[in-house]
Amino acid sequence: MTDLQPTEFSVTVFDEPTTLTVRVGGELDYDTSDDLIDIVLEHLAVDSARLHDVRVDFRDLTWIDSTGLAALLMIHRRTTEIGVTLHLDNRPDVLERMLRQTNVLDHLTAPGSRGEPPACHGDCAFPS
């Protein structure tokens, strides 16, 4: 029998002149999603005027659940509000499947539009 140890969650931030890169490792789930949101929103609050792109690098992601997906939607909402483009890089199969099954891949990777307010349709829960 194999003894599987839980994969530790990690976030590493690389801050460049116009790009914020956030590398996510381990499991993005109920226990860790708030940490990712807090880290990204903290950087956006400080650096939004100079940023054009936020790149979330998933090369070390091992698992994502619906709470992790909700975190990505929240990050997308905030980047869209300030006109910054969100990129989801190095997506492992588990993330790719979730994005396609929930039909949010195109939504999450749509370009931001700096200076223009986001379009609001319906209840405005998630700008399109």
Side-chain angles (χ1 to χ4, degrees):
M1 180 170 166
T2 304
D3 184 21
L4 298 176
Q5 298 296 320
T7 306
E8 292 295 320
F9 178 72
S10 65
V11 176
T12 307
V13 177
F14 302 93
D15 203 1
E16 300 168 23
T18 61
T19 302
L20 175 68
T21 301
V22 180
R23 184 174 296 158
V24 178
E27 298 179 359
L28 182 58
D29 57 17
Y30 178 81
D31 293 325
T32 60
S33 293
D34 285 343
D35 295 335
L36 177 62
I37 293 170
D38 292 345
I39 289 167
V40 173
L41 296 187
E42 179 180 309
H43 279 82
L44 290 177
V46 173
D47 299 326
S48 66
R50 70 171 179 81
L51 289 175
H52 295 149
D53 300 285
V54 171
R55 305 192 81 85
V56 184
D57 183 340
F58 293 103
R59 76 180 69 207
D60 299 322
L61 184 76
T62 58
W63 178 251
I64 183 169
D65 69 5
S66 60
T67 312
L69 179 61
L72 296 180
L73 289 165
M74 177 64 71
I75 291 167
H76 177 264
R77 173 192 247 177
R78 183 65 184 123
T79 57
T80 299
E81 287 173 356
I82 63 173
V84 173
T85 302
L86 178 64
H87 305 270
L88 306 179
D89 299 334
N90 300 308
R91 297 186 301 265
D93 290 341
V94 65
L95 176 57
E96 193 71 26
R97 273 191 308 277
M98 177 171 280
L99 294 174
R100 293 196 186 282
Q101 287 175 346
T102 57
N103 202 31
V104 297
L105 178 61
D106 291 339
H107 174 74
L108 285 174
T109 57
S113 54
R114 185 174 292 277
E116 295 177 22
C120 181
H121 302 288
D123 66 2
C124 297
F126 296 102
S128 55

